[in-house]
Amino acid sequence: MEVPGLERRFRERGLRRTPQRVAVWSDFADHPGSTIREAAARLQRSGIGQATVYRAVRALEEAGLIVRFAAPHGEVRFAAVLDHAHLLVCERCGHVEPLRECGLHAYEAELARRSRFRVRGHTLIVYGLCPECQESS
């Protein structure tokens, strides 16, 4: 999977771009809200072992290319990001809906100006109930 900007993000973050890391990042981009175990099961079909997935997730998370978040029942889940992440997470079933739009850039710039903090990005995770879980309530 060739993602515009991904190679540049790897370089900017000082992360070596390997086929395994790209495959792991792409899997979390295609399946946001997955656990590492779920991703490893899918990637095993491509010959990528579980230990490699865990190492790749750790490196990608440290580089800010994958975000970790809590899902229902204390599960730790992940989503791939390039600059920032906006996610809707259902508190009941764990469904994750990535949001494409972002209204926080102006606020981020204002924060940087006032605090003199060099802002690299942000993550916004909104918890609630998806339409299906609302219907079953």
Side-chain angles (χ1 to χ4, degrees), residues 100-129:
R100 301 291 175 226
E101 66 276 354
C102 176
L104 296 177
H105 292 300
Y107 182 62
E108 195 177 75
E110 174 62 17
L111 281 175
R113 187 190 63 73
R114 283 187 301 164
S115 67
R116 296 190 327 264
F117 198 85
R118 185 181 309 160
V119 177
R120 287 187 2 163
H122 62 267
T123 300
L124 174 66
I125 301 172
V126 179
Y127 294 94
L129 292 177

Side-chain angles (χ1 to χ4, degrees), residues 4 8-9 12 23 28 35 49 54 65 67 74 79 86 88 97-98 103 107 109 111 123 131:
R8 181 173 51 85
R9 293 289 184 236
E12 289 173 352
F28 282 108
T35 64
Y54 274 89
L65 292 169
V67 295
H86 299 124
L88 292 173
E97 188 72 33
Y107 182 62
L111 281 175
T123 300

Side-chain angles (χ1 to χ4, degrees), residues 29-82:
D30 292 342
H31 306 281
S34 294
T35 64
I36 293 177
R37 187 172 296 142
E38 291 166 345
R42 287 188 297 268
L43 291 164
Q44 185 177 19
R45 294 179 224 135
S46 302
I48 299 173
Q50 187 171 356
T52 301
V53 173
Y54 274 89
R55 283 191 304 273
V57 166
R58 184 173 37 249
L60 291 164
E61 187 178 15
E62 288 173 4
L65 292 169
I66 285 185
V67 295
R68 166 193 309 245
F69 61 94
H73 316 295
E75 297 171 304
V76 176
R77 297 194 171 262
F78 298 85
V81 297
L82 283 177

